[in-house]
Amino acid sequence: MLDIRKIRENPDFYRERLARRNSGDEKSVALLLALDEKRRKTLQESEALKSERNRASKEIGAIKAKGGDIAEKSAEVKKIGEQISALDQEIVRIETEQNDLLLRTPNINHDSVPVGTSAADNRVERIVGEPVKLDFKPKPHWEIGAQLGLIDLEAATKISGSGFIVFRGAGARLQRALINYLLDLHTLQHGYTEVSPPFLVRGESMIGTGQLPKFAEDMYRVEEEPPLYLVPTAEVPVTNLHREEILAADRLPIRYAAYTPCFRREAGSAGKDTRGMIRVHQFDKIELVHLVTPEESYATLEVLVGHAERVLKDLGLHYRVLSLCTGDIGFGAAKCYDLEVWAPGVGAWLEVSSCSNFEDFQARRMNLRYKNGEGKNIFCHTLNGSGLALPRLFIALLETYQQADGHVLIPEPLRPYLGGQQSL
RNA sequence: GGACAGGUGGCUGAGUGGUUUAAGGCACUCGACUCGAAAUCGAGCGUACCUUCACCGGUACCGUGGGUUCGACUCCCACCCUGUCCGCCA
């Protein structure tokens, strides 16, 4: 959520920055300012009347103590009370409208974010490793998976519909091995605290990280009163761990790593990515979350990307790092790097991680602050990144390490998690 | 799910309709005293919003939301949470 006071002080800056996103959100600035002006004016009126009422009520107390007649004064104050009540209703109405608009307005982007209109304008920061050299035509993962009995897409469709996966045998075991490998790497070597959060969250949490109110149609909702949402990413429960808190300065930085399944409706997604297990409604992911001070958030973003890249390097996979442009970056991110791994079977770069600095965008929504050295309450900066998303990592492993004889080699770091097994 | 008890600042704890401007204590910060410290003494010490260049000032907040009243920490209603006991349960 953007700071209305900063918008008030520098509307042109916000208009220009929002316009860079190419989403039309800069139109909200004028609307927000009008609401803000109205709100403050009404608030002043109401508060002046309240001051008047407080003063008069005390007088009544004094008159009564002396045994005087309060009828006239009473009627006068009652009238003031009615005016106050009308103004306060108006204030609530304006605040609700302003707040709703703020919750639907995206973050502005950091100076270093490339300006552009679509994924084509994303900047390639670096390409790491080489595409694997195979002396045969690489097969796509769905063929490899079916041959080795690792995945069963037809069974998944039968029980849940399209966009779901059933892992079987060694495939299921590989999934489990990847979860353990990734959690161990990040907790033991990168200093993250492991968290195992609920997979169902309340609407407030979804607002906190920015999925609601704008992207409700992408989420699975459980009809409860109040409703619950299936987590689209561990970012939601984990970042919200400290919502509504004022953290002592010495508790920062906080680093959490969490495994959860992720549930996404991905409405309207049809086309080239839908074959096999590239885009599914439920997938496993290890998520990394940082809560930091504003001063260190951009340095932390680089560290976070490094932690995600470490996985791909250790597993010997070919990948590239993109800096997402203003037209492609997510709603809440001030800056975002995507990691894409090369999948030779499908011949495509697949996104396996998205590492974002939200600055104080999420912290404002969830009222997450820390007390700095001067005793001031400051909004934290929040970051998160996948480390990594499993299905596409699974795809890259199968397609990269496939052998002419149909087997798949297991990269060294994963072998201890598969009982020393060297191939599938 | 049921019964009972409770929810007031960082902590503790008073406050049953009107100088509550939320007492007192602890902790913390600053100052005095001291060679230094302890003890002691003095002062300060919540959050948010509005206003102001700033000082000053105003409003709201005692679990949450409503209600009664000229006026609510205090009375009424609903809900939430915590504790204890009981029930159910992988």
Side-chain angles (χ1 to χ4, degrees):
Chain A
M1 182 156 70
L2 299 176
D3 184 351
I4 186 66
R5 275 174 301 185
K6 288 185 186 158
I7 297 176
R8 194 194 301 152
E9 283 162 18
N10 209 343
D12 290 337
F13 172 78
Y14 279 85
R15 240 187 303 268
E16 191 274 327
R17 285 305 174 101
L18 286 170
R20 285 189 191 181
R21 278 181 169 265
N22 226 41
S23 54
D25 286 297
E26 69 278 9
K27 293 187 192 79
S28 299
V29 172
L31 210 46
L32 285 168
L33 288 176
L35 286 166
D36 184 50
E37 176 117 22
K38 187 85 195 298
R39 180 183 63 85
R40 285 187 298 153
K41 189 167 156 284
T42 313
L43 187 62
Q44 279 171 44
E45 284 172 32
S46 168
E47 288 187 351
L49 287 174
K50 280 175 182 166
S51 178
E52 173 74 16
R53 178 177 68 182
N54 286 345
R55 203 182 47 69
S57 289
K58 270 187 192 155
E59 273 176 38
I60 291 172
I63 293 167
K64 228 179 149 185
K66 288 180 198 149
D69 178 24
I70 61 164
E72 192 186 334
K73 202 84 190 168
S74 239
E76 184 190 316
V77 178
K78 183 164 189 163
K79 212 166 193 174
I80 296 176
E82 282 159 8
Q83 292 176 51
I84 290 171
S85 163
L87 287 171
D88 282 354
Q89 275 180 37
E90 177 67 2
I91 291 166
V92 167
R93 193 193 62 73
I94 297 168
E95 278 180 347
T96 304
E97 192 179 340
Q98 177 180 306
N99 196 45
D100 188 62
L101 186 54
L102 278 174
L103 287 176
R104 290 170 184 277
T105 303
N107 203 357
I108 57 171
N109 301 125
H110 190 255
D111 261 334
S112 63
V113 173
V115 176
T117 55
S118 74
D121 299 318
N122 293 338
R123 183 171 65 217
V124 178
E125 296 286 335
R126 53 190 171 274
I127 299 178
V128 179
E130 297 289 329
V132 66
K133 291 185 182 67
L134 298 170
D135 50 10
F136 57 95
K137 185 172 183 293
K139 291 181 205 158
H141 60 279
W142 56 83
E143 282 180 26
I144 304 165
Q147 274 166 17
L148 296 174
L150 307 179
I151 55 176
D152 188 342
L153 296 174
E154 283 102 69
T157 304
K158 189 160 58 186
I159 57 179
S160 300
S162 70
F164 290 90
I165 317 172
V166 170
F167 292 97
R168 303 178 59 101
R173 192 178 191 201
L174 177 56
Q175 276 290 113
R176 187 156 50 84
L178 284 168
I179 293 166
N180 287 328
Y181 161 67
L182 293 168
L183 282 174
D184 282 353
L185 176 71
H186 295 307
T187 56
L188 301 177
Q189 298 195 41
H190 297 153
Y192 290 81
T193 301
E194 183 173 346
V195 173
S196 180
F199 302 160
L200 288 165
V201 298
R202 310 197 303 174
E204 289 92 321
S205 297
M206 297 286 272
I207 288 171
T209 35
Q211 285 75 21
L212 289 182
K214 201 170 176 187
F215 306 103
E217 67 281 0
D218 295 336
M219 309 301 153
Y220 286 105
R221 191 169 77 163
V222 177
E223 294 301 335
E224 284 287 312
E225 196 46 57
L228 290 168
Y229 296 84
L230 273 69
V231 296
T233 158
E235 163 194 350
V236 179
V238 175
T239 312
N240 276 284
L241 278 172
H242 297 287
R243 64 175 294 122
E244 312 280 350
E245 287 185 21
I246 301 173
L247 300 165
D250 60 14
R251 294 204 49 193
L252 298 179
I254 290 174
R255 287 181 179 179
Y256 290 125
Y259 155 75
T260 69
C262 302
F263 302 92
R264 300 184 181 180
R265 296 183 65 201
E266 307 277 0
S269 71
K272 68 181 173 68
D273 280 352
T274 54
R275 185 88 196 260
M277 49 189 273
I278 292 175
R279 188 181 297 274
V280 285
H281 294 308
Q282 178 190 327
F283 62 95
D284 289 322
K285 178 160 64 64
I286 278 66
E287 185 75 3
L288 308 174
V289 173
H290 291 242
L291 309 182
V292 302
T293 62
E295 294 76 28
E296 59 190 332
S297 71
Y298 279 95
T300 301
L301 179 60
E302 301 302 321
V303 170
L304 172 59
V305 175
H307 290 160
E309 285 188 69
R310 168 81 185 279
V311 175
L312 296 169
K313 279 182 187 155
D314 283 4
L315 293 177
L317 296 169
H318 177 46
Y319 70 93
R320 63 181 188 178
V321 181
L322 303 178
S323 183
L324 297 192
C325 76
T326 55
D328 196 36
I329 195 167
F331 178 75
K335 180 169 185 172
C336 176
Y337 292 113
D338 270 10
L339 266 53
E340 295 186 337
V341 69
W342 179 248
V346 294
W349 294 102
L350 302 179
E351 181 189 333
V352 285
S353 179
S354 205
C355 300
S356 305
N357 182 2
F358 294 84
E359 297 191 3
D360 64 6
F361 188 83
Q362 295 180 325
R364 273 179 198 287
R365 291 172 159 249
M366 61 179 78
N367 203 18
L368 164 61
R369 294 169 293 173
Y370 79 101
K371 205 174 268 295
N372 73 2
E374 292 164 359
K376 289 235 184 254
N377 297 333
I378 312 282
F379 286 110
C380 297
H381 278 198
T382 63
L383 301 95
N384 65 64
S386 341
L388 306 164
L390 259 56
R392 293 174 188 169
L393 181 60
F394 192 104
I395 290 169
L397 287 169
L398 256 52
E399 295 189 0
T400 301
Y401 290 109
Q402 60 182 305
Q403 305 296 302
D405 66 2
H407 287 281
V408 173
L409 286 182
I410 304 293
E412 226 286 314
L414 274 179
R415 289 179 191 172
Y417 293 89
L418 290 162
Q421 203 174 327
Q422 299 191 3
S423 70
L424 298 176

